[in-house]
């Protein structure tokens, strides 16, 4: 074997161009595969960095009648589950909340998490410093304490271990720091800090919590689902839970990464096609080179060397090329992976690690071995079919290619054409689908529109009048800024969250127990919201400053989907609706506006309503302003105005609406363009491989073509003779590719 290795090295140095082309070809194929497989491995193969993570289940509720797969958890339901279940060692819940942090004279918006006191024990994590919350702190009126995230502790306090006992001002209220979380890769729930949830289990405030539970040893997820279904049914029977909701238990991996699985599998299939084409190129070049060395190989066989012995020389040479291509591919793959992950719009959780582990190295090794085998197999196969007579003939000059070699080269050409066609068509379908989504009318004008959020602390703005006065004043001051043409505010702008509710329609029979009862999207808005957003008015009028100020002026504006659902054959204007529940006031429909793609351009419309802000003043609002200049130029001015009004407030989620809309399509865009890039690489590899094969075959037929020319053949006829062979193989490959495309086309429909 040592002598074979030395011989292979000499052969590669004798023809460095051949070696470079093979190494580069394999590096592209292996590198692309490593990028996608590393992501697939990190999300779906590598164990989560939590103790016995397979025993952790995501806890949620589902409501089929409301058309909601996940509703969130209601706190009273969670408390009932935690108290009466027999399947879990522990359960915990949390919800994300933003806070205005006043620190050293500066205000900033940070990501907080309100958690139940038992979350750390369920996740089995220990504090890096201090302690976690006690049960008495997780009660209404309990002490206000905070546990800092490790990264936030490092950034804000420089890792000072004396931080325990210090005070933070969150939304104008003092919180005592009692602990520091371990590094982020050990923490499931991400945020800058944790504070106690401190909810009352006797107060039903809706479905808004996330949950996690740790199964007892030996308990299966199916048994846990049955157990919680029993507990929940008991809560419903005693009036402690809603009969429309049911427990929803999901493995963590499926809950967090279930959606992109098909997308990543498609990408993995695409890069495997690229690798196959690369291996086809290497195989074609190896076969062509082997045929060119037929004199040498024939002499070896004639002198008594076995086909196995000669084949081993070829295999070692192929393995060396594949190994060099694998090393280059791993370097390219890691660079590409870092670039891809750093540019993802939706960043993966910090506990997801993309550094290569044994799975990635094993996959890389398998690709090297497979590439080597695929590259060497056609040559070895042709050697196995030779006998001594063929070997002696191979030692003489030949003007035409042997039938077996010609067939093998033709098969490789057909395969490359078919695979590259499959990838190109799939890329075209995905790009067309992405283009179609981009052309969907969102229902508003995102150009020159800036969106940012302002959250008022309860401690300073605890009543409706204070909140209404603040936002009115803020909007007036922003309106006075140069270049601002319109400004308003809403609780949930497009692509900005979900506020669901249910309504009773005057004169419409209530929904039956077996009928679908979809949730209605509710938004509270200031006057001018529709004009600022560019949402068209269909009928009636929009909101005015007098709407909602007293009981007699409670009004509502509905979207087209709501109007079609409840008044398909009558005029919605003047109709009345109210929130479902006893003694809720009636609201008069004063307008119908165009539908808005609230959840994304590729998501369906749902019924929606807009209420006047004074009817239910909220502490957190999204400000939307339209300007005559690029909206990002106004951020500094808006921030200064807010600081002048209240130095403890900070802007949050500042982003032009056009950018927000663009980012909502990042997954489709990423898949489409990755497919386009991979198909481009595949096409380049296929064209290069086909050119190399036909260049070799024409070179081998020089004597034959010369004889034909001497016997009177015309040059155009000789050209057509060569081109016809290429066209025939291309047509065959295209036909096979089209069959595969028709079989795989359904994968790209969504």
């Amino acid at each position: 074997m040592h002598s074979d290795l030395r011989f292979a090295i000499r052969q590669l140095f004798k023809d460095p161009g051949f070696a470079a082309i093979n190494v580069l070809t394999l590096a592209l194929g292996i590198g692309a595969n490593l990028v996608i497989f590393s992501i697939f491995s990190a999300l779906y193969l590598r164990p989560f960095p939590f103790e016995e993570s397979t025993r952790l289940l995501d806890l949620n509720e589902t409501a089929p009648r409301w058309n909601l797969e996940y509703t969130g958890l209601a706190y009273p339901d969670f408390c009932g589950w935690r108290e009466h279940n027999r399947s879990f060692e522990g359960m915990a819940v949390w919800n994300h909340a933003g806070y205005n942090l006043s620190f050293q004279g500066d205000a900033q918006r940070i990501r907080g998490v309100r958690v139940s006191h038992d979350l750390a024990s369920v996740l089995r994590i220990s504090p890096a410093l201090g302690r976690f919350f006690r049960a008495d702190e997780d009660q209404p009126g309990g002490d206000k304490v905070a546990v800092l995230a490790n990264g936030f502790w490092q950034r804000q306090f420089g890792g000072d271990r004396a931080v325990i006992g210090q005070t933070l001002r969150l939304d104008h209220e003092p919180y005592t720091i009692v602990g520091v979380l371990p590094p982020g890769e050990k923490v499931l729930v991400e945020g800058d800090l944790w504070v106690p949830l401190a909810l009352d289990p006797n107060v039903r405030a809706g479905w808004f919590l996330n949950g996690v539970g740790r199964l007892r040893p030996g308990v299966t997820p199916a048994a846990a689902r049955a157990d919680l279904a029993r507990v929940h049914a008991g809560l419903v029977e005693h009036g402690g839970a809603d009969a429309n909701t049911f427990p929803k238990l999901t493995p963590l991996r499926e809950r967090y990464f279930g959606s992109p699985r098909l997308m990543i599998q498609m990408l993995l299939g695409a890069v495997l096609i690229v690798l196959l084409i690369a291996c086809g190129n290497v195989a074609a070049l190896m076969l062509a080179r082997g045929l060119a060395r037929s004199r040498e190989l024939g002499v070896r066989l004639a002198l008594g060397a076995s086909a196995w012995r000669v084949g081993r020389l070829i295999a070692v040479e192929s393995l060396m090329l594949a190994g060099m291509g694998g090393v280059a591919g791993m370097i390219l793959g890691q660079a590409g992976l870092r670039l891809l992950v750093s540019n993802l719009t939706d960043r993966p959780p910090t506990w997801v690690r993309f550094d290569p582990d044994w799975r990635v190295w094993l996959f890389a090794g398998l690709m090297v071995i497979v590439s080597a085998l695929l590259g060497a197999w056609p040559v070895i196969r042709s050697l196995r079919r030779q006998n001594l007579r063929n070997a002696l003939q191979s030692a003489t000059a030949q003007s035409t290619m042997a039938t077996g070699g010609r067939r093998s080269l033709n098969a490789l050409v057909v395969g490359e054409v078919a695979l590259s066609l499959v990838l190109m068509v799939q890329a075209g379908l995905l790009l067309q689908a992405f283009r179609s989504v981009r052309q969907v009318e969102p229902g508003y004008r995102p150009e020159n529109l800036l969106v940012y959020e302002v959250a008022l602390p309860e401690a300073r703005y605890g009543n409706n009048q204070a909140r209404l006065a603040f936002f009115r004043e803020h909007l007036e001051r922003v309106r006075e800024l140069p270049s601002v043409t319109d400004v308003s505010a809403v609780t949930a702008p497009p692509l900005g969250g979900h506020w669901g509710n249910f309504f009773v329609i005057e004169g419409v029979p209530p929904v039956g127990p077996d009928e679908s009862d979809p949730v209605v999207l509710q938004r509270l808005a200031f006057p001018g919201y529709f004009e600022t957003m560019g949402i068209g008015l269909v009928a009636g009028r929009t909101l005015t400053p007098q709407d909602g100020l007293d009981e007699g002026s409670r009004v509502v504006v509905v979207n087209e989907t709501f109007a079609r659902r409840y008044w398909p054959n009558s005029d919605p204007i003047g109709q009345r609706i109210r929130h479902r529940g006893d003694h809720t006031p009636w609201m008069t429909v004063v307008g119908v506006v165009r539908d808005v793609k609230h959840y994304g351009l590729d998501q369906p419309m749902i019924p929606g309503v807009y209420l006047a802000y004074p009817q239910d003043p909220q502490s957190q609002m999204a400000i939307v302003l339209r300007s005559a200049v690029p909206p990002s130029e106004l951020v500094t001015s808006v921030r200064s105005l807010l600081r002048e009004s209240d130095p403890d407030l900070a802007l949050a989620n500042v982003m032009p609406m056009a950018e927000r809309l663009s980012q909502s399509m990042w997954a489709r865009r990423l898949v489409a363009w990755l497919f386009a890039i991979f198909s481009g690489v595949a096409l380049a590899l296929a064209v290069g491989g086909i050119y190399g094969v036909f260049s070799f075959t024409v070179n081998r037929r020089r004597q034959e073509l010369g004889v034909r020319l001497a016997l009177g053949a015309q040059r155009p006829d000789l050209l057509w003779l060569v081109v016809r062979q290429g066209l025939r193989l291309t047509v065959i490959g295209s036909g096979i590719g089209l069959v595969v495309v028709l079989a795989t086309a359904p994968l790209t429909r969504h």
Side-chain angles (χ1 to χ4, degrees):
M1 181 64 72
H2 187 63
S3 60
D4 293 342
L5 185 62
R6 288 202 309 271
F7 179 78
I9 293 174
R10 286 199 302 271
Q11 288 295 111
L12 295 180
F13 273 107
K14 283 175 62 177
D15 195 350
F18 167 80
I21 292 174
N22 277 279
V23 169
L24 178 60
T25 299
L26 287 175
L28 289 173
I30 292 175
N33 273 272
L34 280 177
V35 171
I36 306 302
F37 181 80
S38 296
I39 296 176
F40 181 80
S41 175
L43 300 184
Y44 301 109
L45 300 180
R46 178 179 286 187
F48 288 169
F50 314 122
E51 185 177 341
E52 296 184 282
S53 62
T54 56
R55 289 169 54 194
L56 294 175
L57 289 180
D58 179 85
L59 304 179
N60 213 299
E61 295 185 63
T62 185
R65 286 192 67 222
W66 300 346
N67 288 349
L68 294 176
E69 183 179 4
Y70 295 97
T71 65
L73 255 173
Y75 189 65
D77 296 353
F78 161 75
C79 292
W81 294 2
R82 181 172 57 181
E83 181 179 355
H84 299 293
N85 87 88
R86 306 180 191 135
S87 303
F88 291 87
E89 283 186 356
M91 292 179 173
V93 289
W94 72 91
N95 79 306
H96 294 275
Y99 291 96
N100 296 298
L101 169 66
S102 302
F103 187 77
Q104 296 180 351
D106 185 33
Q108 57 180 295
R109 190 71 178 170
I110 63 171
R111 300 174 302 129
V113 189
R114 301 173 63 208
V115 307
S116 59
H117 67 277
D118 40 12
L119 180 58
S121 63
V122 171
L123 296 179
R124 291 187 178 173
I125 57 176
S126 301
L129 202 64
R131 63 173 177 85
F132 290 125
F133 309 130
R134 300 189 304 263
D136 60 288
E137 294 167 335
D138 186 23
Q139 301 289 336
D143 293 341
K144 294 188 179 301
V145 294
V147 174
L148 306 183
N150 201 281
F152 181 76
W153 172 53
Q154 298 288 346
R155 294 192 309 272
Q156 204 74 30
F157 295 92
D160 184 7
R161 300 183 65 85
V163 71
I164 304 301
Q166 294 188 29
T167 299
L168 285 178
R169 289 186 62 82
L170 303 177
D171 285 348
H172 288 281
E173 296 189 270
Y175 283 75
T176 302
I177 300 172
V178 297
V180 176
L181 290 168
E185 64 269 16
K186 298 294 184 182
V187 182
L188 176 69
V189 183
E190 295 185 278
D192 293 320
L193 51 80
W194 289 5
V195 299
L197 189 60
L199 292 178
D200 187 346
N202 299 311
V203 176
R204 180 166 290 275
W207 294 263
F208 59 94
L209 297 172
N210 304 285
V212 65
R214 180 175 291 276
L215 293 172
R216 296 181 185 276
V219 177
T220 65
R225 291 187 186 97
D227 184 28
L228 282 195
R230 171 191 61 81
V231 174
H232 194 77
L235 296 176
V236 171
E237 183 179 352
H238 293 88
D242 194 300
N244 293 300
T245 63
F246 305 92
K248 177 84 170 178
L249 277 64
T250 314
L252 290 186
R253 196 178 302 277
E254 180 181 339
R255 182 69 170 98
Y256 281 87
F257 308 123
S259 298
R261 180 185 290 270
L262 178 60
M263 174 186 74
I264 295 176
Q265 288 174 340
M266 289 173 60
L267 288 171
L268 198 55
V271 294
L272 285 174
I273 290 176
V274 173
L275 181 61
L276 285 175
I277 294 174
C279 290
N281 273 353
V282 173
L285 290 171
M286 290 289 291
L287 180 58
R289 191 164 183 263
L291 293 171
R293 293 169 59 190
S294 58
R295 181 190 302 274
E296 170 206 336
L297 300 179
V299 170
R300 288 178 180 273
L301 291 171
L303 292 177
S306 65
W308 183 87
R309 181 69 181 82
V310 177
R312 195 174 72 178
L313 287 175
I314 303 298
V316 170
E317 184 177 341
S318 179
L319 185 60
M320 281 196 60
L321 289 171
M324 295 165 63
V327 172
M330 282 185 271
I331 296 173
L332 286 176
Q334 288 303 306
L337 178 64
R338 287 192 296 270
L339 180 64
L340 180 60
V341 172
S342 64
N343 284 281
L344 289 178
T345 300
D346 285 350
R347 298 296 176 86
T350 55
W351 41 267
V352 175
R353 297 174 54 192
F354 292 98
D355 55 303
D357 63 352
W358 66 268
R359 297 169 186 81
V360 175
W361 297 124
L362 177 61
F363 183 73
L366 288 175
M367 283 195 295
V368 169
I369 294 173
V370 170
S371 301
L373 291 176
L374 291 177
W377 176 246
V379 183
I380 296 174
R381 182 171 174 270
S382 67
L383 288 171
R384 289 179 60 191
R385 294 187 172 185
Q386 290 195 36
N387 53 34
L388 182 59
R389 181 180 177 182
N390 293 335
L392 292 172
Q393 289 177 345
S394 298
T396 64
Q398 295 183 5
S399 61
T400 59
M401 187 186 304
T403 302
R406 184 170 61 251
R407 287 176 178 173
S408 297
L409 285 176
N410 290 346
L412 289 170
V413 170
V414 168
E416 290 190 12
V417 171
L419 290 174
S420 59
L421 179 66
V422 169
L423 205 52
M424 289 179 64
V425 172
Q426 295 288 7
L429 291 174
L430 286 169
L431 286 170
Q432 180 61 36
F434 172 63
R435 182 181 178 186
S436 298
V437 171
R438 286 192 61 184
Q439 292 175 344
V440 171
E441 176 59 44
Y444 55 90
R445 294 185 292 112
E447 302 82 13
N448 289 339
L449 193 64
L450 181 69
V451 181
Y452 62 91
E453 294 177 7
V454 175
L456 305 179
E458 190 73 18
R460 179 172 294 184
Y461 304 91
N463 58 70
N464 292 344
Q465 291 76 18
R467 291 192 285 269
L468 178 60
F470 175 87
F471 282 117
R472 277 181 170 173
E473 180 185 0
H474 180 71
L475 293 176
E476 287 301 321
R477 298 190 65 186
V478 171
R479 187 173 287 110
E480 294 172 359
L481 289 175
S483 303
V484 172
T485 57
D486 289 292
V487 63
S488 188
V490 69
T491 47
L495 308 171
H498 171 82
W499 288 46
N501 219 318
F502 297 93
F503 292 86
V504 175
I505 314 301
E506 188 176 34
V508 176
V511 178
D514 298 325
E515 296 181 80
S516 176
D517 187 18
V519 68
V520 174
L521 176 63
Q522 174 182 297
R523 286 150 289 192
L524 293 157
F526 272 83
Y529 174 70
F530 304 106
E531 293 79 4
T532 303
M533 290 293 298
I535 300 173
L537 180 66
V538 176
R541 64 171 177 85
T542 57
L543 299 174
T544 67
Q546 289 73 38
D547 289 332
L549 293 178
D550 53 55
E551 194 69 23
S553 62
R554 300 183 73 89
V555 301
V556 60
V557 174
V558 302
N559 69 358
E560 293 173 292
T561 300
F562 190 98
R564 282 193 301 267
R565 176 178 175 83
Y566 294 107
W567 304 288
N569 301 312
S570 58
D571 186 3
I573 306 303
Q575 304 285 353
R576 297 201 303 171
I577 69 173
R578 62 180 174 87
H579 289 100
R580 189 174 299 172
D582 296 333
H583 310 299
T584 56
W586 289 101
M587 298 174 288
T588 303
V589 177
V590 297
V592 179
V593 294
R594 297 289 184 191
D595 284 331
V596 168
K597 285 287 190 179
H598 185 83
Y599 301 105
L601 296 181
D602 56 351
Q603 298 300 312
M605 298 285 188
I606 70 169
V609 300
Y610 300 86
L611 312 182
Y613 177 81
Q615 293 173 201
D616 187 17
Q618 298 294 309
S619 60
Q620 182 167 334
M621 296 292 288
I623 313 300
V624 293
L625 69 86
R626 187 172 296 280
S627 63
V629 299
S632 56
E633 297 180 8
L634 296 173
V635 174
T636 302
S637 300
V638 171
R639 184 173 283 115
S640 298
L641 287 180
L642 187 64
R643 187 179 296 114
E644 292 172 6
S645 299
D646 189 336
D648 292 326
L649 296 181
L651 300 183
N653 299 323
V654 184
M655 186 179 295
M657 194 68 218
E659 183 178 345
R660 183 179 294 216
L661 183 62
S662 176
Q663 287 191 3
S664 71
M665 298 182 289
W666 75 270
R668 280 184 176 270
R669 183 189 304 108
L670 177 66
V671 174
W673 283 110
L674 283 177
F675 257 90
I677 291 171
F678 294 149
S679 65
V681 172
L683 179 62
L685 291 176
V687 169
I690 293 170
Y691 173 80
V693 168
F694 280 100
S695 174
F696 168 78
T697 57
V698 171
N699 185 60
R700 293 281 290 176
R701 297 178 65 181
R702 281 183 304 175
Q703 184 174 343
E704 171 202 342
L705 297 175
V707 170
R708 289 175 181 269
L709 189 62
L711 293 176
Q714 299 299 312
R715 291 182 182 274
D717 296 332
L718 297 181
L719 178 61
W720 173 243
L721 180 68
V722 175
V723 171
R724 183 176 59 191
Q725 180 186 4
L727 288 177
R728 180 170 58 86
L729 297 179
T730 302
V731 170
I732 295 173
S734 299
I736 296 173
L738 286 175
V739 172
V740 178
V741 165
L742 292 175
T744 58
L747 295 176
T748 58
R749 289 178 182 172
H750 303 290

